[in-house]
Amino acid sequence: HGLLKEPYRRPVYLDQPAGWLPGMDDDTGTMSSQFVYQALGLYPACPGEPYFVIGSPVFEKVELTVGGGRIFTLEATGSSRKNRYIQSATLNGKPLNRAWIWHDELWNGGNLVLEMGPEPNESWAADPGAAPPSMSDGKAPEPIPYVY
């Protein structure tokens, strides 16, 4: 889009329409989708793998219509600028002590509740066995076949 006349300093994203830097290319929606993932607190850390890493949502509640009448609800209880750290989580009413969810857990619909607080809870999802799937450790499932 051309060079800027003077250096431009500010956050890359703002919480307003067209909140990215002037002249910044959205790469056919790539930058927008990355912002949406981050704002939801669910991020596909490894594209093509069927899981999402859980982060700190900027919304207190989001409902995603996932098809077939199913809804996946993500609630971040007490979320604010101050309370941005996950203290604990439940998935469909059961404790979740891992910082990721399977695609199918989202796709089937349900409810992910994150309790938020002002300081990190260093024990939540801290066990090495709670790490996301990895191709190198053999935890990753077989790829989901593409349906035409």
Side-chain angles (χ1 to χ4, degrees):
H1 297 212
L3 297 174
L4 298 173
K5 293 179 183 177
E6 295 181 23
Y8 200 84
R9 293 188 176 106
R10 67 153 234 228
V12 174
Y13 296 110
L14 297 177
D15 58 353
Q16 62 190 38
W20 53 80
L21 292 172
M24 184 175 166
D25 187 356
D26 190 33
D27 294 326
T28 317
T30 300
M31 297 302 288
S32 308
S33 65
Q34 296 303 309
F35 174 77
V36 170
Y37 277 127
Q38 294 292 344
L40 287 173
L42 294 173
Y43 189 76
C46 185
E49 292 297 322
Y51 66 90
F52 296 91
V53 174
I54 300 170
S56 299
V58 298
F59 305 105
E60 288 187 33
K61 184 175 182 180
V62 175
E63 290 184 351
L64 302 173
T65 302
V66 293
R70 297 179 310 274
I71 295 175
F72 184 83
T73 303
L74 190 148
E75 296 179 60
T77 306
S79 180
S80 68
R81 286 184 187 259
K82 181 181 175 187
N83 294 335
R84 58 185 172 181
Y85 298 100
I86 300 170
Q87 304 301 298
S88 64
T90 60
L91 180 61
N92 299 323
K94 297 178 183 171
L96 181 70
N97 196 25
R98 56 182 157 96
W100 58 277
I101 62 169
W102 291 112
H103 175 269
D104 285 350
E105 291 173 320
L106 184 147
W107 188 252
N108 290 331
N111 196 22
L112 175 63
V113 178
L114 307 174
E115 296 293 332
M116 309 301 288
E119 298 292 328
N121 175 355
E122 295 181 7
S123 64
W124 179 73
D127 184 272
S134 169
M135 295 296 282
S136 63
D137 66 10
K139 284 175 51 179
E142 291 296 316
I144 299 171
Y146 185 77
V147 178
Y148 292 93

